[in-house]
Amino acid sequence: MKIQKNPKKLKRTIRFLILGLAMLSLCGCGNAIPDLPEEDMRKVEEYAAGLLLKYDANYSESMVTEEEYAEEQAKLERKAAMQAQAAELRRQEEAARQEEDKDSDGDSGDGSSEVLPPEPVYTDIDEFFGISGIDIESAGYTVCDKYPEATAEGDWQGIVTASPGNKLVVFKFSAVNSSGEDKLLDMASLDSHFAFKLGDGSTKAALTTLLLNDLSSCRETISAGADDELVLLIEVEESKSDVSSVTMVMRNGTDRAELSLEP
């Protein structure tokens, strides 16, 4: 039996079926049709509709395979990651503007004197963050459109891509374990922040990324004598991608220090 697509016809079919069921259930009562209570009538209607669906050749349950579910879940995760990265870029632009305001000269508010910025304190990265047994040194930089430029299949950490008209500047650092034993480098547990003062006077906050080798958030064990590469990224206008003169500003909580980076 096939379900009628027209709702009125479907309802009429169910009514006829109910009448048929009721008449078959009568014994010795002639052609009388019982006056069923409303609740009993609803149950009979549901039962009749179930029979129609059971014998409808075009009826089938909607099923989703595990593969289809996993694919849809992956799409949603990628979309969420892209939205989060876009929001983070907007936050970083605002943080860079605030950092630039902090490092620039300003008035005291009453117009009587000029407030001078504090004298910069120059120090090594590992010394500033209290890291022992691991020496972290600057290892140059590269300018590119995306980082990393090559990824392995199934790499979940994602790719940082420069927005149109801009370039990524990837500052590289070498982390050498000189302690003679395996050491944990846990930057994620520190309240660390980085920014870069460029030669044109602008200041750019380091981008927050999902990269496993991001200096500001990495947490990895470096084997004795091993040398790992860590990075920090900023985004600049394509016409200003020459950053040969750079000072890195480091913050650890309320402490602040600077480090001149070699080109």
Side-chain angles (χ1 to χ4, degrees):
M1 183 180 295
K2 183 178 180 180
I3 296 179
Q4 303 294 324
K5 303 304 180 183
N6 188 307
K8 292 182 178 179
K9 292 182 179 179
L10 176 61
K11 186 174 182 180
R12 186 165 57 249
T13 301
I14 294 175
R15 290 289 184 180
F16 286 151
L17 182 57
I18 293 171
L19 292 174
L21 291 173
M23 292 175 66
L24 290 173
S25 64
L26 297 176
C27 295
C29 296
N31 294 327
I33 299 176
D35 186 11
L36 295 177
E38 182 177 350
E39 178 64 19
D40 292 339
M41 180 63 73
R42 182 184 61 80
K43 292 180 180 179
V44 174
E45 288 178 350
E46 291 177 353
Y47 175 71
L51 289 177
L52 290 174
L53 289 176
K54 179 179 179 180
Y55 294 104
D56 181 13
N58 294 328
Y59 173 73
S60 63
E61 294 182 353
S62 175
M63 300 182 66
V64 179
T65 65
E66 292 183 3
E67 292 78 6
E68 292 172 334
Y69 177 81
E71 181 179 355
E72 189 64 25
Q73 186 71 12
K75 289 180 181 179
L76 293 174
E77 290 176 355
R78 287 195 295 269
K79 182 177 180 181
M82 292 177 64
Q83 292 174 340
Q85 187 176 32
E88 182 62 28
L89 286 174
R90 290 192 294 269
R91 186 196 67 77
Q92 289 163 359
E93 290 175 357
E94 178 62 25
R97 285 192 292 269
Q98 294 177 0
E99 183 70 25
E100 187 173 1
D101 292 340
K102 290 179 182 179
D103 293 330
S104 62
D105 293 341
D107 295 332
S108 62
D110 57 6
S112 60
S113 62
E114 186 179 86
V115 176
L116 298 177
E119 287 293 326
V121 177
Y122 295 94
T123 185
D124 293 332
I125 300 173
D126 48 277
E127 180 182 345
F128 176 68
F129 288 104
I131 300 170
S132 61
I134 300 177
D135 300 321
I136 304 177
E137 302 289 343
S138 173
Y141 72 92
T142 59
V143 179
C144 54
D145 294 316
K146 65 177 183 179
Y147 182 87
E149 296 185 82
T151 55
E153 184 177 355
D155 188 353
W156 62 268
Q157 67 177 332
I159 298 176
V160 182
T161 305
S163 55
N166 292 339
K167 290 283 188 179
L168 293 177
V169 181
V170 183
F171 294 99
K172 299 181 179 181
F173 303 88
S174 175
V176 180
N177 182 352
S178 57
S179 67
E181 59 182 6
D182 294 354
K183 297 284 291 186
L184 174 65
L185 177 59
D186 188 8
M187 296 294 294
S189 65
L190 303 175
D191 186 15
S192 61
H193 300 278
F194 297 89
F196 296 87
K197 295 196 294 185
L198 308 181
D200 62 0
S202 64
T203 300
K204 297 289 185 179
L207 301 177
T208 300
T209 74
L210 297 177
L211 298 171
L212 297 177
N213 62 335
D214 189 318
L215 174 60
S216 64
S217 60
C218 70
R219 190 178 191 277
E220 60 176 295
T221 298
I222 303 178
S223 302
D227 181 357
D228 284 4
E229 182 181 83
L230 304 175
V231 297
L232 289 171
L233 280 65
I234 63 172
E235 186 177 45
V236 298
E237 296 179 17
E238 188 170 359
S239 60
K240 299 179 180 180
S241 58
D242 181 9
V243 291
S244 56
S245 175
V246 180
T247 298
M248 183 170 72
V249 180
M250 302 176 288
R251 294 183 183 276
N252 185 15
T254 58
D255 296 331
R256 182 183 187 280
E258 296 185 1
L259 176 66
S260 295
L261 302 183
E262 298 295 332

